Amino acid sequence: MAPATRALPLACLMLLLLRRAPGAGAQAGQGLELQQPQEEVSVTAGETLNLTCTTSGDGPAGPVKWLKGWGSGNETIYEQKGSFPRVTRVVGESNTDFSIRIRDMQPEDAGTYYCVRFCKALGGVDEVFRSGKGTEVSVHAKPTPPVVSGPGRRAGPGQSVSVTCTAGGFFPKDIGVKWLMDEAPISAQQPQVTPGRTKSSYNMSSTVTMTLQEDDVRSRLVCEVQHPTLTAPLRGTYQLSKALRVPPRVRVVADPPSPVEANKTVNFTCHVKGFYPGDVVVTWLENGTEVKVENISRLVQTPRGLFELRSLVEVKATEEKNGSVFACRVVHDGQDPISETAALRIAAPAREGLSDWSQTDNGVNLLSSPSLWLGILLEKGLLSGLLVFLFKRGRHEEGNAGAAALSHSVSAPGSSAHGGGSRGSAAASFVVCT
Ligand SMILES: *[C@@H]1O[C@H](CO)[C@@H](O)[C@H](O)[C@H]1NC(C)=O
Ligand SMILES: *[C@@H]1O[C@H](CO)[C@@H](O)[C@H](O)[C@H]1NC(C)=O
Ligand SMILES: *[C@@H]1O[C@H](CO)[C@@H](O)[C@H](O)[C@H]1NC(C)=O
Ligand SMILES: *[C@@H]1O[C@H](CO)[C@@H](O)[C@H](O)[C@H]1NC(C)=O
Ligand SMILES: *[C@@H]1O[C@H](CO)[C@@H](O)[C@H](O)[C@H]1NC(C)=O
């Protein structure tokens, strides 16, 4: 401090001395009184703060200022000269009413406000002459809308993940946090409340840990924040699908199944089912070499939220391809590939493989002979005619002979001993049949 500031004008000095002697100011008749009646005021963030300060009596010339805080770190909130855009005087040019309004109060504006009357010291430096007792201002602030965040990477069913809800900028400190999973309350640890950057508001963090399930694709977590400044709780949501990875089940089906006749077309279909998210790449390998695929089905989402997909390759089953291995390789969500394989087997030519009954010595397949088929048809026709005849006759004789018993007896002629049961007419039919 420069020495000049030490030397107060005589009047100012006298008054300061008088002030220290109780009652001396009043006695002198020119004691300037300063009233700052509000001890505590609380406003809600965004509102206007009204601070009251009046003076009475005479004193040395000097300005009145509003300071926030005392001692080092005090801050000039208002003085006549200078620009204070948020502050207005309640009574514009008054020499006795120094009340002010501060609009748009924010949590960082919390603190103790002093109305201070200065007097001019030598060199034009202002010295504190009178000051009010201070008004303690608190600013109630709503928490910011809760933000809910999940793990940085996805996890599979059965694994546990932590989901965190944060909100900040609130005052006072008390805050309540509730978690809901699909609207049903779930338990969580106590929220952690820490002072904010300006120490005039607080931040909150609350975490839930849960085990994921396949069905959680559609599950929703809600973090509900309650605070005295709120009329209704604030909600933050989190879709568990963001944290979930369900790997696909992969199955390869050959149609027709092996072994197949040479030169037939075989469809290998890769069924990729029950996965999440839908990010999947399906490739086919024939004996380890990638093959081109034209036919990939659209990605379908099931009601449970999981995806499925089919991929098909058509293969001409030439003899050279006997024993070829077709692998369906699925890369899901950047994970290690899942492979399923099917081998193509070509049936040996009919000459070597098929059994004797369908073959003649000269290699002609009996089943392909029209006369054989005609014979079979004729035989069947005769047989059914006989059946109908027997059936009608049986009904005549017995009245209620069962058709089942008859058909059985006809189709299995040798089994008369147990086929007919105890019925006399059935036994008679066996005789006719054989
Ligand atoms: C401050 O004064 C203004 C204007 O008179 C008034 O609208 C406002 O409600 C007052 N604020 C408080 C916190 O008393
Ligand atoms: C306010 O702070 C300044 C410097 O930061 C200091 O010189 C002054 O004495 C303080 N005033 C009060 C009233 O504490
Ligand atoms: C399959 O096709 C090839 C070439 O067209 C032919 O040489 C071969 O005889 C055919 N094999 C059969 C069993 O039809
Ligand atoms: C193979 O797939 C194609 C194309 O989808 C289809 O037209 C054909 O009928 C399928 N063949 C068999 C044997 O399933
Ligand atoms: C294909 O391979 C299987 C087993 O290796 C064999 O039994 C079959 O005869 C082969 N088929 C042909 C047409 O060579």
Side-chain angles (χ1 to χ4, degrees), residues 157 181-182 212-220 240-241 244 246 302-306:
M181 165 106 159
D182 295 331
L212 290 175
Q213 290 173 4
E214 228 176 77
D215 283 341
D216 283 334
V217 175
R218 302 262 193 236
S219 297
R220 192 172 73 133
L240 270 185
S241 60
L244 181 65
V246 185
T302 63
R304 285 169 67 206
L306 300 175

Side-chain angles (χ1 to χ4, degrees), residues 38 41-44 47-51 90 100-102:
Q38 298 156 295
V41 175
S42 84
V43 289
T44 300
E47 278 188 354
T48 296
L49 168 70
N50 300 334
L51 290 172
V90 173
I100 56 167
R101 291 191 188 116
I102 309 175

